[in-house]
Amino acid sequence: MNQDSFAKLLDEARGDGLSFLLIGGHAVFAHGHARTTLDVDLIVPDTSLLVWKSWAKNQGYQPAHETDAFLQFARVTPGSVPLDLMKADVATFTKLQANAREFSFSGVSLPVVGLFHLLALKLHALKTPTRKSFHAQDWADLVTLIRKNRVDLRSPEFQNLMKSHATPQLEAQLLAELQPS
């Protein structure tokens, strides 16, 4: 994907007053794991959906699929970047925003969800049956992010993450893979 095009698109969104945090492949990249991604995934306050829909339409997108948690836009303009929005209530978005960091993409500073929130999103994705086709990528992202960021598996923050977001089976599998042999 052309990093310039997505960075420019999100810079315009920010300039238009839209709140968002990068999640998905671009957030994974920002936290140290370079991998290919074909779309832009954002988490946005659910109260801003009408504004996002209007903004996206003005950018050449149209809503393609919507659930209680997600809104996917289809590309109408050739060469435009696929855009997916994850909805969050305002309290959750504010909490995520408080721990976000800025990362430069093609010289454009964009807000990226914090590492532990990204790990929580990956754990949630691994528990979601409708995402089974993406589980291998989510697992690889989770393991690589923990390793590359040298997350202390004994830290209270990691322990809380596991308690809050992992099933016992998922936690056991993750710890088995991450423990030194």
Side-chain angles (χ1 to χ4, degrees), residues 6-170:
F6 103 84
K8 181 181 175 197
L9 178 77
L10 295 183
D11 195 35
E12 289 176 24
R14 199 179 214 186
D16 289 339
L18 291 168
S19 294
F20 64 88
L21 299 171
L22 274 163
I23 58 174
H26 289 92
V28 169
F29 176 81
H31 285 287
H33 176 34
R35 70 160 173 87
T36 303
T37 186
L38 301 175
D39 63 359
V40 173
D41 298 300
L42 306 175
I43 191 162
V44 302
D46 58 4
T47 55
S48 68
L49 285 180
L50 290 177
V51 178
W52 270 102
K53 286 178 182 178
S54 174
W55 181 87
K57 182 178 180 181
N58 290 337
Q59 299 297 319
Y61 289 91
Q62 65 183 32
H65 181 71
E66 186 170 2
T67 67
D68 289 341
F70 292 95
L71 174 57
Q72 294 177 310
F73 289 96
R75 298 184 284 181
V76 177
T77 308
S80 61
V81 181
L83 180 64
D84 297 334
L85 304 181
M86 181 179 190
K87 307 170 192 177
D89 62 64
V90 173
T92 301
F93 185 80
T94 301
K95 184 177 177 180
L96 295 172
Q97 198 172 36
N99 290 300
R101 60 178 262 209
E102 293 286 319
F103 188 83
S104 180
F105 294 91
S106 297
V108 178
S109 182
L110 297 171
V112 177
V113 71
L115 176 63
F116 276 83
H117 287 131
L118 180 58
L119 297 175
L121 288 167
K122 290 296 178 181
L123 287 166
H124 177 71
L126 286 164
K127 296 186 302 186
T128 306
T130 55
R131 284 191 50 90
K132 276 200 187 281
S133 62
F134 297 101
H135 281 185
Q137 184 66 67
D138 290 324
W139 181 259
D141 288 346
L142 182 66
V143 169
T144 303
L145 286 168
I146 290 169
R147 285 183 175 145
K148 286 200 171 197
N149 288 280
R150 294 188 167 105
V151 174
D152 181 356
L153 305 182
R154 296 173 308 265
S155 72
E157 192 172 18
F158 184 79
Q159 294 296 316
N160 187 48
L161 177 75
M162 291 294 101
K163 182 179 177 184
S164 300
H165 300 285
T167 64
Q169 179 185 7
L170 191 54

